[in-house]
Amino acid sequence: MSKTNESLMQRRMAAVPRGVGQIHPIFADHAKNSTVTDVEGREFIDFAGGIAVLNTGHVHPKIIAAVEAQLHKLTHTCFQVLAYEPYVELCEKINEKVPGDFAKKTLLVTTGSEAVENAVKIARAATGRAGVIAFTGAYHGRTMMTLGLTGKVVPYSAGMGLMPGSVFRALFPCELHGVSVDDSIASIERIFKNDAEPRDIAAIIIEPVQGEGGFYVPPKAFMQRLRALCDQHGILLIADEVQTGAGRTGTFFAMEQMGVVPDLTTFAKSIAGGFPLAGVCGKAELMDAIAPGGLGGTYAGSPLGCAAALAVMEVFEEEQLLQRCKDVAEHLTSRLRSLQAKYPVIGDVRGLGAMIAIELFEGGDSHKPNAAAVAQVVAKAREKGLILLSCGTYGNVLRILVPLTAPTEQLDQGLAILEACFAEL
């Protein structure tokens, strides 16, 4: 009996906990670049990219070749037991790419949540302080500490009780929803007045572009004031580049466009082209604040992940993917803005580089988020062969994270499907 999506979904429901969500009732069989083929042989255009993991596309031949070569050398020793050169080489390259004109060091781990956890550990050790300020709408992971930082209860921490303490929530600046730069800075000052003295805050953590929160881009003026506030009080600034990093926004790291330099940067997702790898890069003296043995992990910085990441960096250079990102962004944004002019339900088209969002409202009223329309578009697009993702605090945002390597013809096919979906609403 041939496998079907329905039969595999039945097996999944019986074997896998319901807490592991699944956006599309589809089982992928194989993929290439920006096309995914399911177990029934149907092809889909992938505008999700594994949630920003596949900037270089599915199974890029250069990345696969690098991993295959590494497979025949060694797959695991645990770097803390026996080191291997690809780990060191990758750290050297990350140190060069992360913004900041100072000596840097990099720690490699396995997941984005793990990277954020370690950034907080490093900040606490380096400052001797415990508190962390995060923002409304933030997403930093699903582990316990990162759930404390994540600014969305349902579904991430619902039913789990209170998350770890010493985390304080400031307002993320969003002009569309009436939160100015002044409002955001004032909310941090209120934390200092009402909740914790600045000398008790180790770090402020922020996404250069909010991911799950809705792809909101903070103004450069805000980032500059945030940097000045951190400097004034000896607080470390952590840039969570898990989703924005590895070229998604038109520069290898989004903070290159923000006019300020963070003290610590987390990265993951597309850095290794689909293989599990993440890390923290920061000022050398901060990264050295923890004694030997305090950082690491059994699988942290695996040889296969390092080989993949080194290949990703080569692909970016050889295929000029940062420029391609800008071209993809311009192509998508111009077409989406023409849709916005045609369909009143589209209230905003925004993003940085090829990290693009479409926010839907009822009757064009920004106070009435239209999550139902987003759900309909996602479902209709799937029926027509396009994979999309939603996001946003109210679930009313469509996000586009198509591989940067996707051919222009396929971008147009995806946009045509998207327009057809809006026409049917």
Side-chain angles (χ1 to χ4, degrees):
M1 181 179 175
S2 61
K3 293 176 182 176
T4 66
N5 287 311
E6 184 179 357
S7 66
L8 288 170
M9 282 299 293
Q10 289 174 353
R11 287 170 56 189
R12 179 204 194 284
M13 295 300 288
V16 181
R18 68 189 185 107
V20 181
Q22 186 173 337
I23 298 163
H24 299 284
I26 291 170
F27 276 76
D29 182 74
H30 59 276
K32 185 175 182 180
N33 198 3
S34 50
T35 302
V36 178
T37 305
D38 74 4
V39 293
E40 298 174 11
R42 187 177 180 198
E43 291 187 350
F44 295 86
I45 299 169
D46 186 4
F47 269 28
I51 314 185
V53 169
L54 298 163
N55 290 351
T56 49
H58 290 273
V59 294
H60 191 290
K62 188 177 186 73
I63 298 169
I64 298 304
V67 173
E68 283 180 339
Q70 184 60 51
L71 271 171
H72 295 288
K73 296 171 78 173
L74 58 88
T75 61
H76 178 75
T77 62
C78 185
F79 187 77
Q80 294 102 78
V81 178
L82 296 170
Y84 34 88
E85 187 180 0
Y87 186 116
V88 177
E89 183 182 356
L90 178 58
C91 291
E92 291 169 341
K93 290 185 180 297
I94 293 289
N95 291 340
E96 292 173 4
K97 287 187 176 294
V98 167
D101 186 18
F102 43 74
K104 305 186 198 81
K105 290 189 176 183
T106 292
L107 160 73
L108 299 181
V109 288
T110 310
T111 70
S113 293
E114 194 181 358
V116 173
E117 292 264 0
N118 278 279
V120 172
K121 283 167 53 179
I122 291 163
R124 291 176 71 159
T127 62
R129 305 172 179 182
V132 183
I133 295 175
F135 289 87
T136 51
Y139 181 83
H140 296 293
R142 287 184 176 90
T143 55
M144 290 300 283
M145 183 67 209
T146 59
L147 277 177
L149 300 170
T150 291
K152 188 175 182 180
V153 173
V154 178
Y156 300 118
S157 59
M160 300 171 201
L162 298 177
M163 292 299 110
S166 303
V167 174
F168 306 93
R169 187 86 52 207
L171 295 174
F172 190 87
C174 179
E175 184 178 350
L176 179 66
H177 295 294
V179 182
S180 69
V181 169
D182 286 343
D183 292 334
S184 185
I185 294 296
S187 73
I188 298 173
E189 296 287 1
R190 279 197 297 274
I191 290 170
F192 293 158
K193 294 290 185 186
N194 299 332
D195 301 302
E197 291 184 276
R199 64 180 179 180
D200 291 321
I201 301 297
I204 298 177
I205 185 167
I206 190 169
E207 300 158 277
V209 181
Q210 284 205 321
E212 172 65 20
F215 283 29
Y216 298 111
V217 185
K220 287 184 183 179
F222 170 75
M223 297 299 275
Q224 290 163 355
R225 288 177 66 179
L226 188 62
R227 177 73 269 181
L229 194 69
C230 287
D231 291 340
Q232 177 186 348
H233 296 295
I235 296 169
L236 302 186
L237 180 60
I238 302 173
D240 183 347
E241 294 244 26
V242 167
Q243 189 161 167
T244 55
R248 174 48 58 177
T249 66
T251 47
F252 202 81
F253 288 102
M255 288 299 287
E256 297 173 53
Q257 301 176 59
M258 294 297 164
V260 299
V261 173
D263 300 295
L264 299 170
T265 298
T266 64
F267 56 90
K269 287 192 179 283
S270 274
I271 196 71
F275 290 85
L277 189 84
V280 185
C281 177
K283 292 180 176 178
E285 66 271 22
L286 302 176
M287 297 297 293
D288 279 339
I290 295 178
L295 297 173
T298 302
Y299 295 108
S302 82
L304 300 182
C306 290
L310 290 167
V312 163
M313 291 186 175
E314 290 182 13
V315 169
F316 262 87
E317 293 295 328
E318 293 171 3
E319 300 184 18
Q320 298 181 310
L321 288 189
L322 292 179
Q323 181 57 51
R324 176 59 181 166
C325 177
K326 294 169 186 173
D327 295 341
V328 167
E330 184 178 351
H331 190 81
L332 291 175
T333 303
S334 63
R335 286 283 301 276
L336 292 172
R337 293 213 164 113
S338 69
L339 291 185
Q340 182 182 6
K342 190 173 180 181
Y343 298 102
V345 71
I346 301 176
D348 194 33
V349 173
R350 61 173 175 273
L352 192 66
M355 189 172 175
I356 301 168
I358 311 156
E359 187 158 4
L360 307 189
F361 301 113
E362 294 180 20
D365 185 344
S366 63
H367 297 291
K368 295 180 179 179
N370 198 337
V374 165
Q376 288 180 57
V377 171
V378 170
K380 288 175 182 291
R382 177 175 66 242
E383 293 168 4
K384 299 176 190 298
L386 176 66
I387 299 300
L388 287 172
L389 296 173
S390 62
C391 67
T393 301
Y394 299 100
N396 68 313
V397 180
L398 293 163
R399 53 177 159 172
I400 295 178
L401 292 162
V402 64
L404 306 178
T405 49
T408 302
E409 179 185 359
Q410 200 167 42
L411 296 178
D412 288 336
Q413 290 170 349
L415 287 165
I417 291 172
L418 194 56
E419 180 164 13
C421 294
F422 279 112
E424 292 178 9
L425 286 179

